[in-house]
Amino acid sequence: MRLQEHLVRSTQRALDDVCRAALAVPVDRREWSPGGEARSVLNQMREVALTGTWFLPILAGGSVPSGVDHQAVAQEWSTVEECVDAARESIGALCQAMADFPDEGLEHEVHLPFGGGTVLPMSDVLALAGWNLVYHLGQINQIQLILGDREMH
C-alpha cells in the first residue's frame, strides 16, 4: 500500500469520527463554549469544513493559500449539518488530491506558518489534514464530557 492510500483512509476515518461526534452534541449546545478562549462545536466544525480547501493549494503547488478570508467563508455555515456537508465535499476533494499525489513529490519540502514557521516534507504535509481532524475530534469529545455525555459516538 502506498503512503498516500494509507493517509487517505485515515483522513476519511477521522472525518467520519469528527462528524459523528459533532452531530451527537445536542443542537441547543452546539454554539456553547466552556469558557475563556475555548471554541464551540460549531466553531470547531467550521474549521473542519475549511480543512480541505486550506490544504488543496499546498498539494497542488507547494504553497500556503493566500488572499482568501477563511474566517469570512466559515461564517457562511450556520449549522453543524452545513459544516458536515461542506467538510465532506472539501475533504473529499483533498483525499482525491492526496491519492493522486506522486511518489516522487513526497520528499519535496514546503514552508508552513505553524508554530512560528516550519519546514515539512510533503509526506508529512499529506498527514496534517487527518491530524487536524483528530485534534478537533478531541476538542468536541471534551465538550461532550463537560456536558455529561460519556457515550462513545
Side-chain angles (χ1 to χ4, degrees):
M1 172 185 301
R2 294 173 61 226
L3 173 66
Q4 296 90 318
E5 293 166 359
H6 165 72
L7 293 174
V8 164
R9 286 185 3 195
S10 63
T11 300
Q12 289 170 333
R13 185 172 37 250
L15 176 62
D16 289 343
D17 291 346
V18 73
C19 290
R20 186 174 52 254
L23 291 168
V25 174
V27 173
D28 65 330
R29 301 305 282 203
R30 292 178 181 174
E31 293 187 57
W32 175 81
S33 167
E37 294 295 315
R39 295 163 60 192
S40 70
V41 172
L42 178 59
N43 187 277
Q44 300 278 339
M45 289 304 294
R46 284 176 172 150
E47 184 176 324
V48 165
L50 287 169
T51 300
T53 304
W54 200 89
F55 280 101
L56 269 170
I58 300 171
L59 270 61
S63 62
V64 175
S66 63
V68 176
D69 184 353
H70 287 100
Q71 294 306 316
V73 171
Q75 294 306 311
E76 295 176 13
W77 300 305
S78 60
T79 68
V80 167
E81 287 80 5
E82 289 173 348
C83 294
V84 166
D85 291 343
R88 292 201 182 282
E89 183 177 331
S90 76
I91 294 175
L94 177 63
C95 284
Q96 185 60 57
M98 290 167 62
D100 295 341
F101 197 82
D103 292 341
E104 59 273 10
L106 292 173
E107 293 183 30
H108 173 75
E109 292 184 334
V110 295
H111 182 269
L112 298 174
F114 310 126
T118 187
V119 176
L120 294 175
M122 287 302 295
S123 57
D124 288 350
V125 172
L126 290 175
L128 288 177
W131 177 92
N132 191 52
L133 295 172
V134 171
Y135 167 83
H136 289 293
L137 172 63
Q139 296 295 303
I140 292 168
N141 284 338
Q142 180 67 15
I143 289 171
Q144 289 172 320
L145 286 171
I146 292 169
L147 294 174
D149 182 355
R150 297 196 175 279
E151 184 178 335
M152 295 285 289
H153 297 282

